[in-house]
Amino acid sequence: MKKPQFINPPQDLRNKAVNFKTGVAVQLTEDIASKLEAAIAANGDTFAMEILDKLKTMRTTIAGVGPDSIARMFMLPAIGELAFEIKGMGGTFGYPLLTRLAKSLHDFIRGLSMPSDAQFEVIRIHVDAMYILLAQHVTGQGGASESEMLAMLNRAIDVVAEGG
């Protein structure tokens, strides 16, 4: 049996977050992600640095598998483990929304075997949302925007669970 071939994806991956009120797409480009990483690194907060490292690892892992469904299947345990670690840390350091997103990602991955394109996109959205919460230092329960984001993410999970 041949080993799966890992194909490097193009640099312009579509890592999206969507503003559902106005319908305007907000893209988390590599440039914006680099700026977020620099802002978090400048903070010097040990917790934020540990989470940032885990999120970088998640993004690198996700970007490395590309469209190969076999490779996607093999990356699930690594992403699930990182999500579990973030879940355990978030609430302790005043980031309960980060904990909720990490738990949601962990639970979502646990139910997958061969993620479809739509399911893989939901994994990406989880990671991007955690980046944004961390970069904007959203502590506590957040506000209306964060509640709406969680509701829309839960709806997306329900849709891809039904139709894969």
Side-chain angles (χ1 to χ4, degrees):
M1 177 182 265
K2 291 174 73 175
K3 285 183 152 183
Q5 179 184 4
F6 291 94
I7 301 169
N8 289 326
Q11 292 296 326
D12 61 342
L13 288 175
R14 293 170 290 146
N15 296 312
K16 299 179 189 175
V18 178
N19 179 336
F20 288 97
K21 275 191 176 173
T22 62
V24 178
V26 180
Q27 293 186 349
L28 183 62
T29 64
E30 291 300 319
D31 182 50
I32 293 171
S34 296
K35 288 178 183 176
L36 291 173
E37 291 167 5
I40 292 169
N43 182 355
D45 180 14
T46 303
F47 164 74
M49 294 300 292
E50 286 183 37
I51 298 301
L52 178 61
D53 286 343
K54 291 178 189 322
L55 291 172
K56 281 181 184 177
T57 300
M58 286 178 160
R59 288 192 78 188
T60 302
T61 302
I62 289 168
V65 299
D68 184 345
S69 60
I70 300 294
R72 287 179 179 181
M73 178 182 72
F74 284 111
M75 69 99 205
L76 291 176
I79 299 295
E81 183 178 323
L82 291 166
F84 185 76
E85 291 173 12
I86 293 170
K87 178 182 91 166
M89 297 170 71
T92 304
F93 293 95
Y95 287 85
L97 282 175
L98 200 58
T99 294
R100 286 177 64 186
L101 278 171
K103 180 183 182 326
S104 174
L105 177 56
H106 182 259
D107 292 348
F108 180 67
I109 285 175
R110 205 171 37 195
L112 297 178
S113 56
M114 295 284 276
S116 67
D117 288 344
Q119 291 166 334
F120 196 66
E121 187 65 22
V122 168
I123 293 169
R124 288 183 203 199
I125 291 169
H126 273 91
V127 175
D128 288 347
M130 287 189 280
Y131 253 102
I132 292 166
L133 288 178
L134 186 62
Q136 295 188 5
H137 304 289
V138 178
T139 56
Q141 296 301 320
S145 296
E146 291 79 14
S147 293
E148 185 177 1
M149 175 198 61
L150 288 172
M152 295 307 292
L153 184 57
N154 287 333
R155 179 66 186 128
I157 290 168
D158 291 342
V159 168
V160 299
E162 293 167 3

